[in-house]
Amino acid sequence: MIYLDNAATTRMYDECMKEFERYSLFEYFNPSALYNLSLGVNNSVKNARRAIASAINADADEIIFTASGSEADNLAIFGGLKRKNKKLIFSSVEHSAVYNSALELKNQGYTVIFAPVDGFGRVDAEKFIELLDEDVILVSIMQVSNETGAVNDIKKLAEYTKEYAKNALFHVDGVQGFMKIKTNVKNLGIDLYSMSAHKIHGPKGVGALYIRKGVNLKPIIFGGGQEFGLRSATENVAGIAAFAKAVEITSKKEDYGYSRSKELLSYLADTLLKKYCGHIIVNTDLSNCAPHILSVAFDNIRGEVMLHALEKRGIIIGTGSACSSKKSNKRIPLSLGLRSEFFDGMLRISLSTDNTKNDIDRLIEAIDIEYVSLKNYK
């Protein structure tokens, strides 16, 4: 099998699996208990908190562990709201964890504004400024688009927010950017930053939220008061330890090991454009994108049909966010400004550092074969 859907999830590192096993089968004690064995586990959680904080230049006590990136997004958004009848700004292409939170807040009576993006999925900075005023209390913008790999200029957008909406919290969904591009939360000037383990070869079911010192959130889960009172529930020690191990391994790779991945995606894009000139659009700005995601759209095939055709040949790709793949959703192509004939033809290829040129060549060969039989299928 050739796996090219790493933006959806990644294979766990073997070393992470060993950490997961260690804290599930042997050191499985509740970190909140008082006996010495639990104190050792509690220290392991503290060490993991320091490791993840260090990866984004945060302090350990600014990291809250959650059960997912989606939960981290929800805690940032719902936990940060203190005044009603105010404005909230999100980009129009946010991941469903953020976008559907925005819709829920709209239902609750908040004024929700969706900032427009360019054809690659980046927030239009000039139009963004026009949306800002003193009534804005929260801005949530993704660091890297899970659909196209577009990288937002978070530092600039945060500066604009602090200038024109000085009381607003600035949240970044960093799930696709964390450990893919260098991130210094202090330099970015943001308040909140969401992360997820399973996007970086850690386990599913564990994430984290950076909360800048001085930012006060309300909990959205209540119980025993774990995680500084912000996220009650017995800590998922096995997942947290494996998350930290994934960060440790990735941190040792120069440029996180993704420089070759970007070269492979450029090669793929160039090849497809030459082969299918006039019948394909590249939705990824290869001069300014994350190194692991390429989005393309064909005008005369259905992306889902191509996905299953390639799957039969042992090649796994995506059509977009796995969290919304079961829904008929035109939101992303509309936001990108795609012509209607390309709406159904979007494909997303996303790499890990293990993918090779041979993987890409086999993908190209398979698309060549399947395109002939699928181009008239609707």
Side-chain angles (χ1 to χ4, degrees), residues 87-92 102 106 110-116 131-133 136:
K87 296 180 183 178
L88 315 172
I89 298 176
F90 305 84
S91 88
S92 62
K106 187 175 182 178
Y110 287 91
T111 299
V112 172
I113 303 169
F114 292 106
L131 303 176
L132 295 169
D133 59 37
V136 176

Side-chain angles (χ1 to χ4, degrees), residues 161-223:
T161 300
K162 298 305 179 183
E163 180 178 356
Y164 297 104
K166 62 179 182 295
N167 294 318
L169 291 177
F170 196 102
H171 166 246
V172 176
D173 179 348
V175 168
Q176 287 293 347
F178 179 60
M179 306 305 293
K180 305 293 197 310
I181 58 178
K182 299 291 184 182
T183 301
N184 181 333
V185 291
K186 298 292 186 354
N187 183 56
L188 290 177
I190 62 178
D191 301 300
L192 303 154
Y193 183 87
S194 302
M195 298 161 274
S196 180
H198 78 103
K199 305 295 188 180
I200 62 163
H201 302 279
K204 299 173 182 65
V206 59
L209 177 67
Y210 157 77
I211 306 173
R212 180 181 60 78
K213 280 187 176 69
V215 172
N216 296 312
L217 299 187
K218 297 178 297 183
I220 60 174
I221 296 176
F222 298 87

Side-chain angles (χ1 to χ4, degrees), residues 45-100:
V45 173
K46 290 179 179 178
N47 290 336
R49 202 184 306 277
R50 283 192 287 268
I52 291 164
S54 178
I56 58 173
N57 192 34
D59 296 328
D61 59 359
E62 294 177 305
I63 301 297
I64 300 295
F65 288 116
T66 64
S68 63
S70 292
E71 186 191 323
D73 288 335
N74 275 254
L75 176 56
I77 293 167
F78 290 97
L81 297 179
K82 297 179 176 63
R83 291 173 291 166
K84 291 192 174 181
N85 302 318
K86 295 293 182 180
K87 296 180 183 178
L88 315 172
I89 298 176
F90 305 84
S91 88
S92 62
V93 294
E94 291 298 314
H95 184 275
S96 56
V98 172
Y99 183 76
N100 287 332

